[in-house]
């Protein structure tokens, strides 16, 4: 620096890191979440991170939302990656089987017309068998609002 009096001075400064780099998830946290992620729930991982004294890149203690975000960004599976039990399908698959919009299936679920369970991640799993399909098809036939999309019938059932 040159002062107006003619004197000069050298000042060494370290530039601050860019915000994304400064707030990046610490490598220790990423390693722990990667190692424990497939076996433990988010709340259990939060407890492990707190016990190890590891904080987020912002310096905050980890919470479930922060762990969920790290899982998402780094594609770390959770123990609930496959939410369906035997004989269950998704709402989208139900809609495809029946040839209707998924919105109709959500309506049936929320109005108690179709049995389903909600996973901890918020996904609907519909128990599906021939009786359930037949009941849904009857409901469609009796409805003045629902129209079937194009369906192809094979020897094994609807496609």
């Amino acid at each position: 620096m040159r002062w107006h009096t003619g004197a000069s001075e050298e000042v060494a400064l370290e530039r601050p890191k860019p915000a994304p780099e400064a707030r990046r998830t610490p490598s220790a946290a990423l390693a722990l979440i990667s190692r424990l992620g497939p076996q433990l729930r988010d709340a259990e991982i939060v407890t492990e991170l707190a016990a190890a004294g590891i904080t987020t890149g912002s310096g905050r203690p980890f919470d479930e939302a922060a762990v969920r975000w790290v899982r998402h960004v780094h594609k770390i599976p959770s123990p609930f990656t496959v939410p369906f039990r035997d004989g269950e399908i998704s709402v989208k698959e139900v809609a495809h089987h029946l040839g209707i919009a998924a919105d109709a299936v959500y309506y049936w679920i929320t109005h108690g017309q179709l049995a389903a369970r909600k996973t901890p991640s918020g996904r609907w799993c519909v128990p599906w068998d021939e009786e359930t399909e037949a009941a849904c098809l009857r409901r469609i036939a009796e409805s003045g609002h629902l129209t079937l999309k194009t369906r192809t019938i094979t020897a094994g059932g609807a496609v």
Side-chain angles (χ1 to χ4, degrees):
M1 270 194 305
R2 281 197 192 271
W3 296 97
H4 72 281
T5 60
S8 63
E9 189 176 332
E10 189 174 316
V11 179
L13 297 175
E14 192 173 312
R15 289 185 146 209
K17 293 179 181 179
E21 189 178 324
R23 295 178 58 199
R24 185 169 288 141
T25 301
S27 57
L30 183 56
L32 187 76
I33 295 170
S34 296
R35 184 171 50 84
L36 300 177
Q39 294 89 25
L40 299 181
R41 297 172 185 252
D42 293 343
E44 296 167 323
I45 293 175
V46 168
T47 304
E48 293 293 326
L49 289 163
I54 300 172
T55 59
T56 65
S58 305
R60 295 181 303 113
F62 269 91
D63 59 9
E64 289 183 49
V67 171
R68 205 168 22 254
W69 176 251
V70 172
R71 278 189 198 272
H72 169 74
V73 169
H74 295 282
K75 297 180 177 35
I76 299 169
S78 75
F80 305 108
T81 303
V82 181
F84 301 104
R85 297 176 183 152
D86 288 340
E88 290 182 336
I89 61 175
S90 70
V91 168
K92 185 177 178 181
E93 290 172 309
V94 170
H96 178 74
H97 278 295
L98 299 173
I100 60 173
D103 290 340
V105 180
Y106 284 116
Y107 179 88
W108 291 346
I109 292 169
T110 57
H111 288 83
Q113 298 172 350
L114 181 63
R117 71 176 178 85
K118 203 170 196 178
T119 66
S121 64
R123 187 172 194 168
W124 286 107
C125 300
V126 180
W128 194 250
D129 56 21
E130 291 178 8
E131 292 174 27
T132 305
E133 183 175 8
C136 290
L137 289 172
R138 275 193 306 277
R139 189 173 293 116
I140 292 167
E142 294 168 358
S143 172
H145 301 286
L146 294 174
T147 55
L148 293 174
K149 296 178 183 176
T150 305
R151 288 173 30 115
T152 305
I153 306 297
T154 63
V159 176

